[in-house]
Amino acid sequence: MKVTLSVLKADIGSVGGHTLPSRRVLARVEEVAREEVGRLLQDAYVFHIGDDIILLLSHTHGVRHPSIHELAWKAFREGTQVAKEEGLYGAGQDLLKDAFTGNLHGLGPQVAEMEFEERPAEPFMVLAADKTEPGAFNLPLYLAFADPMYSSGLLLSSELRPGFRFRIMDLAQTERDSYIELDAPERLYDIAALLRDSHRFGIESIWSRRYGEIAAVVSTTRLRNIAGRYVGKDDPVAIVRTQKIFPATEEFGPPFALAPFVAGDTRGSHHLPLMPVKANTPASSFFCVPMVCGLVFSLREGRLSEPVDLFGDPVWDAVRARVVEKAQEMRRQGFYGPAMLPMEELEYTGIAERLRELEREFS
């Protein structure tokens, strides 16, 4: 059976600042989606990370289907109306356009979709991040799909040994999508040369070279490129298939346990570690440390199993404690040096205006 998974995410309002959506907002978004199960959809699941609401939709209509995107737009719009009624902060923040134009790309919400022939056993995970950039998944996915130090299946499994093809987007391009395809392991150094710069380049998708099957897809929307100003971090989502011809689910844990430094913070202005958290976790009041959650599902004839929380077992409590130490140490440096993002990442913020004003005073 050919099935499509669509993951669509938006910040449409939260309680007391950038924390979490209210119960009523979440309930309304879920109600709109669930109404279409058995009609437009095979199944649906709704959760949040921080102030972002994530829709996971299973269907048979292919990627970029107008009806699927319109359903998500309707869910987010109706959730926004509830957020406004409740006086939530940033109601409709990620809905940057007033009208639906047939596709959510370019309207503000993050979108990750893939279509594939369902295997007899089809495990996959949904990754969702808050308070960070599209390139935040670069290092964990690189390690899981290309580094045998972290992904032992690359050594032990004949299915994985031929490697994977990385499609990498140039996130600085605003006029058109610009990407390059590089094969691992032959082009490993070239892949690393690009992915090291998570502000400029991001993984768009990963493919099995042996079977030509899609393995992962990541959203790559930059909100500032749509709005022309800083309106919040981009907060990427991803779909990753696992097991058999792909790395095992458990091989994704250690790469995320590294908690790499990524763009983040409450104003999107600093480098902070990416903390693995349980799904439905509020944003941290400690400068909004960037967070990632992961839910693992099995799929059968388009129907979703109950999820397992990728970062929910006790091991992750120790990881989170170490991440907090990394975050505190970096944030103690305040505005200075590598603690803050480079100027090209701050050009849409107030500091750019301040520097232009100061230029006139130089002599």
Side-chain angles (χ1 to χ4, degrees), residues 6 9 12 17 29 31 53 65 82 103 111 119 141 143 179 186 190 211 226-227 291 304 347 353 358:
S6 298
K9 182 243 73 171
I12 56 173
V29 171
E31 182 181 359
I53 297 177
H65 194 279
V82 175
N103 194 299
V111 180
R119 296 173 288 173
L141 293 183
L143 295 177
Y179 64 85
E186 293 90 340
D190 294 330
Y211 295 98
I226 301 171
M291 305 184 302
L304 300 167
E347 61 180 323
E353 299 172 8
L358 289 172

Side-chain angles (χ1 to χ4, degrees), residues 54-195:
I54 298 97
L55 285 170
L56 166 60
L57 308 178
S58 170
H59 56 94
T60 59
H61 305 291
V63 301
R64 293 177 175 255
H65 194 279
S67 297
I68 299 297
H69 285 221
E70 186 175 21
L71 172 63
W73 181 258
K74 177 185 177 184
F76 291 141
R77 293 284 289 187
E78 294 195 14
T80 295
Q81 186 58 42
V82 175
K84 290 179 178 178
E85 292 170 2
E86 294 186 316
L88 300 189
Y89 182 77
Q93 174 178 298
D94 281 359
L95 308 185
L96 301 180
K97 304 294 182 180
D98 295 326
F100 180 70
T101 57
N103 194 299
L104 281 186
H105 291 279
L107 300 185
Q110 294 288 335
V111 180
E113 298 180 287
M114 62 166 62
E115 183 181 37
F116 52 85
E117 286 287 344
E118 188 182 287
R119 296 173 288 173
E122 187 63 67
F124 71 94
M125 67 177 69
V126 175
L127 301 170
D130 186 30
K131 305 296 183 291
T132 189
E133 60 191 345
F137 295 150
N138 281 3
L139 182 59
L141 293 183
Y142 168 86
L143 295 177
F145 282 97
D147 190 340
M149 288 285 285
Y150 284 83
S151 187
S152 56
L154 296 169
L155 293 178
L156 302 175
S157 171
S158 60
E159 306 278 17
L160 275 58
R161 191 173 299 130
F164 292 87
R165 177 166 294 132
F166 287 71
R167 177 178 289 180
I168 300 171
M169 295 285 291
D170 183 348
L171 303 173
Q173 289 285 350
T174 58
E175 299 299 322
R176 65 190 187 280
D177 286 347
S178 177
Y179 64 85
I180 185 172
E181 293 186 348
L182 298 172
D183 288 343
E186 293 90 340
R187 304 290 299 276
L188 206 58
Y189 294 169
D190 294 330
I191 294 170
L194 297 178
L195 297 186

Side-chain angles (χ1 to χ4, degrees), residues 18-19 131 261 264-267 270-273 275 282-291 320 322-334:
H18 294 290
T19 57
K131 305 296 183 291
F261 284 104
D265 197 81
T266 186
R267 298 186 184 275
H270 286 66
H271 287 115
L272 285 171
M275 176 183 286
S284 170
S285 58
F286 184 79
F287 292 108
C288 289
V289 173
M291 305 184 302
R320 284 187 276 270
R322 185 173 56 82
V323 175
V324 170
E325 292 178 1
K326 288 179 66 173
Q328 289 176 330
E329 193 61 38
M330 179 64 91
R331 205 57 184 81
R332 285 191 188 100
Q333 199 160 311

Side-chain angles (χ1 to χ4, degrees), residues 211-223:
Y211 295 98
E213 289 269 354
I214 189 166
V217 64
V218 183
S219 64
T220 55
T221 296
R222 300 219 72 174
L223 296 179

